[in-house]
């Protein structure tokens, strides 16, 4: 009895899949590709530029400029924060009156911070090498956030970003966030 049910279910699924493929093909533009009368050679849809397209180009240019300013500001603020943390850790290490435990903890924190800075830099450089013109990476113990340009992010781009972060850190896939600018 179970044997017949299995074959009936498999047959029904194959039939449903075949119906779905046929309906997809019939409702898509595949039917128009077969008939040469539907398209004419030399048919143009957008021949001349208009004021609207010039306005659109200006808007896109302004968005790119704003995004570049964001990336520059974010990298500058991150650099200032990292420099302040590094100087504080080095100051604790240089104190002669500090306990050995405090110095060891400061050395561990300094090493951890330097590793995080190196990983952020590596991630950004790898992503730029893989075609992202602008990106900024923020690492923490809990996760990673990577900001990239909205125009450059596709489904494959998101996988590239996550794969790059995974290759440079020990974070889990779910702890990586991509922010579109």
């Amino acid at each position: 009895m179970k044997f017949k049910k299995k074959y009936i279910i498999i047959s029904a699924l194959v039939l449903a899949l075949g119906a779905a493929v046929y309906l997809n093909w019939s409702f898509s533009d595949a039917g128009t590709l077969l008939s040469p009368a539907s398209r004419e050679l030399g048919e143009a849809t957008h021949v001349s530029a208009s004021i609207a397209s010039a306005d659109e180009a200006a808007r896109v240019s302004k968005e790119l400029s704003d995004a570049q300013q964001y990336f520059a500001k974010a990298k500058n603020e991150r650099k200032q924060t990292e420099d302040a943390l590094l100087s504080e850790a080095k100051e604790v290490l240089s104190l002669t009156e500090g306990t050995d435990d405090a110095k060891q903890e400061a050395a561990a924190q300094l090493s951890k911070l330097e590793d995080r800075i190196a990983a952020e830099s590596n991630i950004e450089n790898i992503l730029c090498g893989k075609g992202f013109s602008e990106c900024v990476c923020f690492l923490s113990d809990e996760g990673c956030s990577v900001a990239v340009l909205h125009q450059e992010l596709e489904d494959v781009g998101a996988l590239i970003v996550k794969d790059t972060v995974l290759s440079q850190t020990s974070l889990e896939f779910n702890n990586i966030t991509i922010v579109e600018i």
Side-chain angles (χ1 to χ4, degrees), residues 21-65:
V21 168
Y22 173 74
L23 289 173
N24 186 27
W25 177 78
S26 65
F27 288 120
S28 71
D29 290 335
T32 59
L33 292 176
L34 299 176
S35 61
S38 66
R39 298 262 183 207
E40 292 184 28
L41 289 176
E43 179 182 3
T45 55
H46 299 289
V47 175
S48 63
S50 66
I51 294 174
S53 64
D55 290 342
E56 180 70 17
R59 184 185 63 78
V60 168
S61 175
K62 182 175 179 350
E63 285 178 4
L64 285 175
S65 175

Side-chain angles (χ1 to χ4, degrees), residues 62-175:
K62 182 175 179 350
E63 285 178 4
L64 285 175
S65 175
D66 291 344
Q68 288 172 341
Q69 288 176 356
Y70 164 78
F71 286 113
K73 181 180 176 189
K75 287 179 181 180
N76 188 28
E77 288 176 357
R78 184 184 68 193
K79 179 70 174 155
Q80 290 175 350
T81 303
E82 289 170 352
D83 288 344
L85 290 172
L86 285 171
S87 67
E88 286 178 20
K90 288 178 181 177
E91 184 178 318
V92 169
L93 284 174
S94 67
L95 293 175
T96 57
E97 64 221 27
T99 65
D100 288 338
D101 291 338
K103 288 183 180 183
Q104 287 177 349
E105 185 177 332
Q109 292 295 330
L110 181 62
S111 175
K112 187 176 178 181
L113 182 60
E114 288 172 343
D115 291 344
R116 183 178 292 164
I117 292 169
E120 288 173 342
S121 177
N122 289 344
I123 291 168
E124 290 171 1
N125 289 334
I126 291 170
L127 289 176
C128 286
K130 290 187 177 187
F132 290 92
S133 62
E134 289 286 343
C135 64
V136 63
C137 175
F138 302 100
L139 279 174
S140 69
D141 292 337
E142 295 82 30
C144 176
S145 296
V146 179
V148 296
L149 285 174
H150 172 71
Q151 294 85 355
E152 295 177 348
L153 192 64
E154 302 169 352
D155 292 337
V156 176
L159 289 176
I160 290 171
V161 170
K162 288 197 173 202
D163 182 55
T164 302
V165 173
L166 288 173
S167 71
Q168 297 296 314
T169 64
S170 61
L171 295 172
E172 293 183 19
F173 190 81
N174 296 337
N175 293 339

